[in-house]
Amino acid sequence: MFHLTALVTCLALLAYFLISFQVGKARATYGVKAPAVSGNPDFERIYRVQMNTLEWMPVFLPALWLFAIYVSDAIAAALGVVWIIGRILYMVGYTKAANKRGPGFGIQAGATMILWLGATVGILWRLIHA
């Protein structure tokens, strides 16, 4: 069973929901009415956090689950928590200034790449030793 990875998946989805909620709040704060996605730089940075998180989810989630299946549930979950922390740091940095998004982005991208690479090696290992 993959209880830890399932829990981290739920936490990642919660993080995305909370980021999305920030966009709704920013619309009201900066007067950017839907469907507009531009007009105020502060709003646009918050919106980009949401969109960038959404762009990474289809890479992160399969890598997370494949790593859990082929390598380790506990290590996948730990790397998933690192990804969530990276996304939070990305949001905090980017909402302050675009040039402050780098550390959080690097953390989450690194965690995702480790998950992907580990999953790939795990799958190949099982294929070779089947």
Side-chain angles (χ1 to χ4, degrees), residues 69-71 121-130:
I69 292 165
Y70 289 97
V71 180
V121 169
I123 292 166
L124 290 172
W125 180 264
R126 295 240 183 134
L127 285 172
I128 291 168
H129 293 91

Side-chain angles (χ1 to χ4, degrees), residues 9-29:
T9 299
C10 290
L11 292 174
L13 294 172
L14 176 62
Y16 179 71
F17 173 77
L18 294 174
I19 290 167
S20 298
F21 184 74
Q22 294 301 311
V23 173
K25 282 178 43 181
R27 282 190 182 282
T29 300

Side-chain angles (χ1 to χ4, degrees), residues 3 8 11-12 44-45 62 76 80-82 86 91-92 98 109 112 119 121 127:
H3 301 301
V8 169
L11 292 174
E44 290 172 19
R45 287 194 309 275
V81 168
V82 170
M91 179 183 68
V92 169
T112 302
V121 169
L127 285 172

Side-chain angles (χ1 to χ4, degrees), residues 37-57:
V37 294
S38 63
N40 180 290
D42 294 326
F43 168 78
E44 290 172 19
R45 287 194 309 275
I46 295 168
Y47 177 74
R48 280 306 308 149
V49 170
Q50 179 196 21
M51 288 297 97
N52 187 264
T53 304
L54 181 61
E55 292 159 3
W56 274 89
M57 295 288 272

